[in-house]
Amino acid sequence: MDIFQTEPGLGLTPTQQRAFVQYANLLQTWNQKFNLTAIRDPDEIWHKHFLDSLTCLRAMRGTPLQRVIDVGTGAGFPGLVLKIACPEIHLTLVEAVAKKAAFCAEVVHTLGLDHVEIQTARAEALAQAPAHREQYDWAVARAVAPLSVLAEYLLPFVKVGGKMLAQKGQESAQEVKQAENALSTLGGELEQVLPVPLPGGEAHTLIVIAKVRPTPDRFPRRVGIPAKRPL
Ligand code: SAM
């Protein structure tokens, strides 16, 4: 549990720490039956899933967190981890693969988390639904698509004044450059590229985009088109 000491200002309660233990146990159990995530080693679950997801708070803390959506959440990363750390969040998880969404539902049930909505859906379709379009303070994603594609998945969910966050690997300058057109088309503006040093000498990057204008109605385009023909 000491690893959480490396994440500044976290101060998890015993209840939150227990929740992470239960989450790790469920992940290991389900991974024996289904291929949920390639990361199976207990130590790696803590570092590469939990701690890595928690680094999002470096960009999010101190901003409104009432409604957060995690697109392409897989086994709940980073969304469910953020929910455990910040119980006040009303969280929506979006995941195209039903088996992974079912795992997230199991975690929510077992940990007794409230205000979590799970959508087995494609982001391109869900973002056109009025209950979700431009409703969120933050849209977040890890390991889902290049930034130019991700912006089309995420920005339509974000209200003007809100933000999107992309968790990326070390090298992101090129990706940011390639996303310039997508960002301006979708109503986004690059706010911050935040390097995050990880234990073991690795570094990741948080890319924060501010939503400065409404996204035109025609975005996102039909399912599959953003990835096939990035803006
Ligand atoms: N975010 C998780 C993580 O970091 O562990 C999962 C990453 S996994 C590599 C990408 C996930 O995004 C997959 O589970 C995939 O089904 C989902 N995904 C990809 N494109 C999507 C879309 N357009 N709408 C919803 N889910 C999507």
Short mmCIF file of all heavy atoms in Angstrom, two decimals, residues 49 70-75 77-78 94-97 100 121-124 142-144 153, ligand 1:
data_model
loop_
_atom_site.label_atom_id
_atom_site.label_comp_id
_atom_site.label_asym_id
_atom_site.label_seq_id
_atom_site.Cartn_x
_atom_site.Cartn_y
_atom_site.Cartn_z
N HIS A 49 -1.82 0.08 -13.30
CA HIS A 49 -3.25 0.41 -13.38
C HIS A 49 -3.64 1.46 -12.34
O HIS A 49 -4.08 2.55 -12.70
CB HIS A 49 -4.12 -0.83 -13.22
CG HIS A 49 -4.18 -1.69 -14.45
ND1 HIS A 49 -4.18 -1.18 -15.72
CD2 HIS A 49 -4.25 -3.03 -14.61
CE1 HIS A 49 -4.24 -2.16 -16.60
NE2 HIS A 49 -4.29 -3.29 -15.96
N ASP A 70 -15.38 8.39 -18.71
CA ASP A 70 -14.16 7.69 -19.13
C ASP A 70 -14.50 6.85 -20.36
O ASP A 70 -15.33 5.94 -20.29
CB ASP A 70 -13.67 6.80 -17.98
CG ASP A 70 -12.44 5.98 -18.34
OD1 ASP A 70 -11.80 6.27 -19.37
OD2 ASP A 70 -12.13 5.02 -17.59
N VAL A 71 -13.89 7.18 -21.47
CA VAL A 71 -14.23 6.54 -22.75
C VAL A 71 -13.21 5.44 -23.07
O VAL A 71 -12.00 5.68 -23.03
CB VAL A 71 -14.26 7.61 -23.87
CG1 VAL A 71 -14.39 6.95 -25.23
CG2 VAL A 71 -15.41 8.58 -23.63
N GLY A 72 -13.72 4.24 -23.38
CA GLY A 72 -12.83 3.10 -23.65
C GLY A 72 -12.17 2.67 -22.35
O GLY A 72 -10.97 2.45 -22.28
N THR A 73 -12.99 2.51 -21.33
CA THR A 73 -12.47 2.30 -19.97
C THR A 73 -11.85 0.91 -19.77
O THR A 73 -11.07 0.71 -18.84
CB THR A 73 -13.59 2.54 -18.94
OG1 THR A 73 -13.03 2.57 -17.62
CG2 THR A 73 -14.67 1.47 -19.00
N GLY A 74 -12.18 -0.06 -20.63
CA GLY A 74 -11.63 -1.41 -20.46
C GLY A 74 -12.08 -1.98 -19.12
O GLY A 74 -13.27 -2.08 -18.84
N ALA A 75 -11.11 -2.32 -18.27
CA ALA A 75 -11.42 -2.86 -16.94
C ALA A 75 -11.57 -1.75 -15.90
O ALA A 75 -11.42 -2.00 -14.71
CB ALA A 75 -10.35 -3.86 -16.54
N PHE A 77 -10.13 1.69 -16.23
CA PHE A 77 -8.98 2.60 -16.07
C PHE A 77 -9.01 3.74 -17.08
O PHE A 77 -9.14 3.48 -18.28
CB PHE A 77 -7.68 1.82 -16.21
CG PHE A 77 -7.62 0.65 -15.28
CD1 PHE A 77 -7.60 -0.64 -15.76
CD2 PHE A 77 -7.64 0.86 -13.90
CE1 PHE A 77 -7.59 -1.73 -14.89
CE2 PHE A 77 -7.63 -0.23 -13.03
CZ PHE A 77 -7.60 -1.51 -13.52
N PRO A 78 -8.93 4.99 -16.60
CA PRO A 78 -8.70 5.38 -15.21
C PRO A 78 -9.98 5.61 -14.40
O PRO A 78 -9.91 5.87 -13.21
CB PRO A 78 -7.97 6.73 -15.36
CG PRO A 78 -8.58 7.34 -16.58
CD PRO A 78 -8.83 6.18 -17.51
N VAL A 94 -17.71 4.29 -20.49
CA VAL A 94 -18.13 3.87 -21.83
C VAL A 94 -17.16 2.80 -22.31
O VAL A 94 -15.94 3.02 -22.29
CB VAL A 94 -18.09 5.06 -22.83
CG1 VAL A 94 -18.69 4.64 -24.17
CG2 VAL A 94 -18.83 6.26 -22.27
N GLU A 95 -17.71 1.65 -22.70
CA GLU A 95 -16.85 0.57 -23.18
C GLU A 95 -17.61 -0.24 -24.23
O GLU A 95 -18.74 -0.66 -24.00
CB GLU A 95 -16.43 -0.32 -21.99
CG GLU A 95 -15.68 -1.58 -22.37
CD GLU A 95 -14.50 -1.36 -23.30
OE1 GLU A 95 -13.63 -0.52 -23.01
OE2 GLU A 95 -14.46 -2.03 -24.36
N ALA A 96 -16.97 -0.43 -25.38
CA ALA A 96 -17.63 -1.11 -26.49
C ALA A 96 -17.77 -2.61 -26.26
O ALA A 96 -18.72 -3.23 -26.75
CB ALA A 96 -16.83 -0.85 -27.77
N VAL A 97 -16.85 -3.20 -25.51
CA VAL A 97 -16.85 -4.66 -25.33
C VAL A 97 -17.66 -5.05 -24.08
O VAL A 97 -17.31 -4.65 -22.95
CB VAL A 97 -15.40 -5.19 -25.23
CG1 VAL A 97 -15.37 -6.68 -24.92
CG2 VAL A 97 -14.63 -4.88 -26.51
N LYS A 100 -16.03 -6.53 -20.85
CA LYS A 100 -15.29 -5.57 -20.02
C LYS A 100 -16.25 -4.68 -19.24
O LYS A 100 -16.02 -4.39 -18.05
CB LYS A 100 -14.38 -4.72 -20.91
CG LYS A 100 -13.30 -5.54 -21.60
CD LYS A 100 -12.39 -4.66 -22.44
CE LYS A 100 -11.34 -5.49 -23.15
NZ LYS A 100 -10.44 -4.67 -23.98
N ALA A 121 -21.26 0.71 -25.15
CA ALA A 121 -21.58 1.50 -26.35
C ALA A 121 -20.30 1.98 -27.01
O ALA A 121 -19.22 1.93 -26.41
CB ALA A 121 -22.41 2.72 -25.93
N ARG A 122 -20.46 2.44 -28.24
CA ARG A 122 -19.36 3.14 -28.90
C ARG A 122 -19.50 4.63 -28.57
O ARG A 122 -20.60 5.19 -28.59
CB ARG A 122 -19.47 2.95 -30.42
CG ARG A 122 -19.18 1.53 -30.88
CD ARG A 122 -17.73 1.22 -30.91
NE ARG A 122 -16.97 2.15 -31.72
CZ ARG A 122 -15.84 1.85 -32.37
NH1 ARG A 122 -15.36 0.64 -32.30
NH2 ARG A 122 -15.20 2.76 -33.07
N ALA A 123 -18.37 5.26 -28.33
CA ALA A 123 -18.38 6.68 -27.97
C ALA A 123 -19.05 7.52 -29.06
O ALA A 123 -19.80 8.45 -28.76
CB ALA A 123 -16.94 7.15 -27.78
N GLU A 124 -18.82 7.16 -30.34
CA GLU A 124 -19.35 7.96 -31.44
C GLU A 124 -20.87 8.01 -31.39
O GLU A 124 -21.48 9.04 -31.75
CB GLU A 124 -18.94 7.38 -32.81
CG GLU A 124 -17.45 7.28 -33.06
CD GLU A 124 -16.91 5.90 -32.69
OE1 GLU A 124 -17.16 5.44 -31.55
OE2 GLU A 124 -16.22 5.29 -33.52
N ARG A 142 -7.49 6.57 -21.44
CA ARG A 142 -6.12 6.07 -21.46
C ARG A 142 -6.03 4.95 -22.49
O ARG A 142 -6.87 4.05 -22.51
CB ARG A 142 -5.75 5.51 -20.07
CG ARG A 142 -4.30 5.06 -19.98
CD ARG A 142 -3.95 4.49 -18.62
NE ARG A 142 -4.35 3.09 -18.49
CZ ARG A 142 -3.85 2.26 -17.58
NH1 ARG A 142 -2.95 2.69 -16.70
NH2 ARG A 142 -4.25 1.01 -17.51
N ALA A 143 -5.02 5.05 -23.35
CA ALA A 143 -4.70 3.96 -24.29
C ALA A 143 -5.87 3.59 -25.19
O ALA A 143 -6.19 2.41 -25.33
CB ALA A 143 -4.20 2.74 -23.52
N VAL A 144 -6.53 4.57 -25.78
CA VAL A 144 -7.68 4.27 -26.63
C VAL A 144 -7.42 4.60 -28.10
O VAL A 144 -7.76 3.81 -28.97
CB VAL A 144 -8.95 5.00 -26.11
CG1 VAL A 144 -10.13 4.82 -27.05
CG2 VAL A 144 -9.32 4.49 -24.72
N TYR A 153 -13.76 11.53 -30.11
CA TYR A 153 -14.53 10.71 -29.16
C TYR A 153 -14.91 11.53 -27.92
O TYR A 153 -16.02 11.41 -27.40
CB TYR A 153 -13.71 9.51 -28.67
CG TYR A 153 -13.37 8.44 -29.69
CD1 TYR A 153 -12.32 7.56 -29.44
CD2 TYR A 153 -14.09 8.29 -30.87
CE1 TYR A 153 -11.99 6.55 -30.34
CE2 TYR A 153 -13.75 7.29 -31.78
CZ TYR A 153 -12.71 6.43 -31.51
OH TYR A 153 -12.37 5.44 -32.39
N1 SAM B 1 -8.59 2.52 -20.78
C1 SAM B 1 -8.30 1.15 -20.45
C2 SAM B 1 -6.89 1.02 -19.92
O1 SAM B 1 -6.11 1.96 -20.04
O2 SAM B 1 -6.57 -0.04 -19.34
C3 SAM B 1 -8.50 0.22 -21.66
C4 SAM B 1 -7.55 0.44 -22.79
S1 SAM B 1 -7.84 -0.67 -24.13
C5 SAM B 1 -6.30 -0.69 -24.93
C6 SAM B 1 -8.90 0.30 -25.19
C7 SAM B 1 -10.36 0.08 -24.88
O3 SAM B 1 -11.13 1.07 -25.55
C8 SAM B 1 -10.87 -1.27 -25.35
O4 SAM B 1 -11.49 -1.92 -24.25
C9 SAM B 1 -11.87 -0.95 -26.45
O5 SAM B 1 -12.96 -1.85 -26.47
C10 SAM B 1 -12.30 0.46 -26.07
N2 SAM B 1 -12.71 1.31 -27.20
C11 SAM B 1 -11.97 1.61 -28.30
N3 SAM B 1 -12.64 2.45 -29.11
C12 SAM B 1 -13.85 2.69 -28.51
C13 SAM B 1 -14.99 3.47 -28.88
N4 SAM B 1 -15.01 4.18 -30.01
N5 SAM B 1 -16.04 3.50 -28.03
C14 SAM B 1 -16.02 2.77 -26.88
N6 SAM B 1 -14.97 2.00 -26.49
C15 SAM B 1 -13.89 1.97 -27.29
#
